[in-house]
Amino acid sequence: MYNVKSRKAEEFISDEEIRETLEYAEANKNNLALIDSILQKARPYKDGAGVRCNGLTHREASVLLACEIPEKIQEMYKLAEEIKKAFYGNRIVIFAPLYLSNYCVNGCVYCPYHLKNSKIPRKKLTQDEVRREVIALQDTGHKRLAIEAGEHPTMNPISYILECIQTIYSIKHKNGAIRRVNVNIAATTVENYRKLKEAGIGTYILFQETYHKESYLALHPTGPKHDYAYHTEAMDRAMEGGIDDVGLGVLFGLERYKYEFAGLLMHAEHLEATFGVGPHTISVPRIKRADDIDPSAFDNSISDEIFAKLCALIRIAVPYTGIIISTRENQAVREKVIRLGVSQISGASRTSVGGYAEEERPHDTEQFDVSDQRSLDEVVCWLMEMGYIPSFCTACYREGRTGDRFMQLCKTGQIQNCCHPNALITLKEYLMDYASANTAEVGNALIQKEIEKIPNPKVREIVKNNLIQIQQGQRDFRF
Ligand code: SAM
């Protein structure tokens, strides 16, 4: 029985409800009156405090996903762009993944770290190696990391993850600092989530992989990850442990995308209904080639067109949730979906354990093949040339603006007086410390143009002052 507030996985992600949703969507995919009313409901509107958006339910959004009428799809794209502009402006947050260990006891059939893969070298970073990786990352300009590890109770226990987090935050190389560590590790206990919260993590990220229980069980045949309920209820435990910024995700290609899309939105609705705050981010990875993994073995792969439609509809359905895209996608795809709603991207990623400290990108322990292989300087310049502001901002969680307090900031339209200035300040730091001459020139011109868009004159003056102080060598200003 579907119950959005239930704490049981099979009730808040009810298979029956998803099936009914898909039938309803299919039956209404040419129902123009309904499609128009759904699009109308999703449009941004002004109220006293600022711009607002209603978002969509999983049923409404599924109708839009089912709709194949070209003009309506164009309307969806236009609306997604509009919503993106209203809440995220032209900022794109930049991060990098950091792989700590590929030891894993699970049997995930799509992941090269699975237990039975005896070919892949197993590696776990020592604290000295973590230091080398972080210095290498800081030296390119990164301020925000997502740490990644396989699941292994003795090789990667929570104490190891916590030690790594402490090491990462402690390193200050030249003007570098990692100011936000997001964590992507296997589902764990409330007690461990509490420890992660105390260690000062940003977002806890866990991909559901697939919401289809039967497929989930087959795709995770062995190991603790086989437990569908434990995995699906992880975000509830994270919230109980005090982590109020959680990141959802589906690994597209494993199951039918329409099923996954409905499940993903039901998960978001569940968190909102139960804890009063929806997911902080949603990630949209697609299966990639890796060591002993051939993506063509999975028959639910989606085209770039469908991928773009999914990104646009996530933007429309959950307007206050960030969308993350990784270097699994190439430059052209990234360009398209950034416009349609993506708000965070990784740059210059290495998905091998210990990869950043190496001169050349190593392949031996890679979790997946990286499609976008450009340097961070190239990614930053590319974004700016398209008119985006690459942001290295980490202010919100450092100022305690997590969970519903962050959502409040979005909903009251204060982003332009807060996130926008923070993006400019952190970009200026990047330009001073790490950018090539050409990137610095493009960036400084962009900053000059963008300062004038800060609505509050007092904030504008402070930013101008901060920029001068950064020029003189000071760092780490924020609103
Ligand atoms: N081990 C953790 C867990 O159980 O959730 C998470 C870390 S794992 C390193 C990060 C994510 O990479 C996985 O959740 C999965 O979605 C994704 N992944 C695994 N194999 C992949 C592949 N071949 N192509 C693309 N993404 C993959």
Side-chain angles (χ1 to χ4, degrees):
M1 201 37 177
Y2 177 48
N3 176 359
V4 69
K5 280 193 173 176
S6 167
R7 302 302 288 270
K8 289 199 184 120
E10 283 174 73
E11 290 177 359
F12 66 80
I13 307 290
S14 149
D15 175 65
E16 192 186 357
E17 172 60 19
I18 298 183
R19 283 173 200 281
E20 280 177 20
T21 298
L22 300 188
E23 273 169 35
Y24 171 78
E26 191 57 29
N28 285 289
K29 68 178 188 184
N30 292 316
N31 181 341
L32 281 176
L34 180 65
I35 290 164
D36 284 342
S37 73
I38 295 172
L39 286 168
Q40 187 55 32
K41 178 190 167 190
R43 283 188 209 293
Y45 61 94
K46 283 219 161 113
D47 80 354
V51 182
R52 302 288 280 246
C53 250
N54 293 319
L56 295 176
T57 65
H58 60 277
R59 284 210 176 206
E60 293 162 338
S62 291
V63 172
L64 297 188
L65 186 61
C67 166
E68 287 168 4
I69 305 165
E71 306 87 82
K72 291 295 148 191
I73 295 177
Q74 287 315 311
E75 260 186 68
M76 292 174 210
Y77 285 176
K78 213 166 138 254
L79 178 56
E81 277 190 68
E82 216 180 295
I83 293 174
K84 160 118 201 246
K85 279 208 189 98
F87 294 106
Y88 301 86
N90 52 349
R91 294 174 308 283
I92 300 289
V93 168
I94 308 265
F95 75 98
L98 172 60
Y99 282 77
L100 299 178
S101 165
N102 66 353
Y103 283 92
C104 193
V105 293
N106 287 314
C108 316
V109 302
Y110 49 82
C111 178
Y113 294 170
H114 66 90
L115 182 66
K116 284 199 184 138
N117 189 353
S118 53
K119 232 173 81 239
I120 197 165
R122 298 289 167 172
K123 211 166 157 190
K124 167 188 169 179
L125 299 180
T126 63
Q127 295 312 301
D128 263 350
E129 287 168 332
V130 171
R131 228 164 262 125
R132 285 179 56 202
E133 289 288 278
V134 170
I135 287 172
L137 281 158
Q138 286 184 5
D139 279 351
T140 62
H142 276 294
K143 295 281 186 283
R144 207 184 244 261
L145 299 184
I147 56 173
E148 313 274 340
E151 178 168 18
H152 199 296
T154 54
M155 292 305 284
N156 320 329
I158 193 73
S159 54
Y160 169 69
I161 304 291
L162 294 169
E163 196 186 355
C164 291
I165 295 171
Q166 210 180 14
T167 301
I168 295 168
Y169 278 135
S170 73
I171 299 163
K172 305 277 181 299
H173 183 67
K174 298 184 185 161
N175 277 337
I178 299 302
R179 298 174 182 157
R180 178 175 178 129
V181 177
N182 296 334
V183 174
N184 183 3
I185 60 165
T188 186
T189 59
V190 174
E191 197 193 337
N192 286 346
Y193 286 125
R194 199 163 284 130
K195 288 180 184 166
L196 287 169
K197 175 72 186 175
E198 281 160 14
I201 70 159
T203 312
Y204 172 66
I205 300 165
L206 180 70
F207 301 161
Q208 177 63 28
E209 320 298 6
T210 174
Y211 284 96
H212 190 280
K213 185 179 174 191
E214 224 173 278
S215 298
Y216 182 95
L217 296 177
L219 290 160
H220 306 94
T222 54
K225 197 164 168 178
H226 180 71
D227 188 337
Y228 174 82
Y230 190 73
H231 188 81
T232 311
E233 291 159 12
M235 294 314 192
D236 292 56
R237 292 194 300 282
M239 291 267 186
E240 265 178 64
I243 298 176
D244 49 5
D245 280 351
V246 299
L248 305 181
V250 156
L251 185 55
F252 284 103
L254 298 179
E255 246 298 335
R256 289 152 302 163
Y257 68 91
K258 289 178 182 167
Y259 191 101
E260 304 293 29
F261 180 70
L264 187 60
L265 293 184
M266 282 163 74
H267 201 170
E269 285 163 18
H270 164 69
L271 295 174
E272 177 89 47
T274 314
F275 301 98
V277 47
H280 188 66
T281 55
I282 287 179
S283 299
V284 287
R286 287 195 280 187
I287 302 178
K288 294 282 300 179
R289 183 167 301 284
D291 192 69
D292 66 344
I293 307 299
D294 175 5
S296 67
F298 300 89
D299 45 13
N300 288 300
S301 69
I302 52 173
S303 66
D304 292 351
E305 278 308 306
I306 296 292
F307 186 66
K309 194 173 173 193
L310 282 165
C311 290
L313 288 176
I314 294 172
R315 177 72 299 127
I316 293 172
V318 281
Y320 303 112
T321 296
I323 304 179
I324 301 180
I325 192 158
S326 73
T327 53
R328 289 177 183 87
E329 302 300 334
N330 63 31
Q331 179 178 339
V333 170
R334 275 152 70 96
E335 226 160 282
K336 181 159 189 184
V337 294
I338 284 174
R339 213 182 62 237
L340 295 175
V342 165
S343 53
Q344 292 192 26
I345 65 166
S346 50
S349 302
R350 293 192 172 181
T351 64
S352 42
V353 183
Y356 293 106
E358 303 292 329
E359 199 61 38
E360 288 291 313
R361 189 166 67 93
H363 296 290
D364 57 346
T365 61
E366 263 184 340
Q367 199 204 6
F368 57 83
D369 191 16
V370 172
S371 295
D372 185 340
Q373 302 185 4
R374 292 170 297 167
S375 69
L376 187 57
D377 189 72
E378 288 171 311
V379 170
V380 165
C381 196
W382 160 73
L383 286 171
M384 296 191 303
E385 280 170 344
M386 292 190 296
Y388 294 107
I389 309 170
S391 173
F392 294 87
C393 176
T394 55
C396 271
Y397 104 104
R398 295 166 81 211
E399 292 291 323
R401 288 190 299 259
T402 60
D404 56 350
R405 277 148 297 173
F406 169 75
M407 297 292 175
Q408 216 38 44
L409 185 83
C410 287
K411 292 176 186 173
T412 53
Q414 278 312 302
I415 277 196
Q416 236 6 47
N417 281 318
C418 190
C419 303
H420 186 71
N422 281 330
L424 297 180
I425 290 168
T426 55
L427 175 60
K428 180 68 182 174
E429 286 188 343
Y430 174 84
L431 299 179
M432 289 292 297
D433 292 336
Y434 308 104
S436 64
N438 175 52
T439 301
E441 198 183 322
V442 176
N444 283 320
L446 180 75
I447 291 173
Q448 286 316 311
K449 204 171 92 196
E450 291 289 336
I451 294 177
E452 301 310 322
K453 295 188 187 162
I454 301 170
N456 184 326
K458 271 198 198 129
V459 175
R460 210 182 310 136
E461 275 321 296
I462 296 172
V463 172
K464 284 183 180 168
N465 238 323
N466 287 165
L467 292 172
I468 294 169
Q469 287 169 291
I470 293 170
Q471 192 94 30
Q472 291 166 347
Q474 291 192 54
R475 295 289 177 270
D476 205 10
F477 297 100
R478 63 176 180 266
F479 288 90

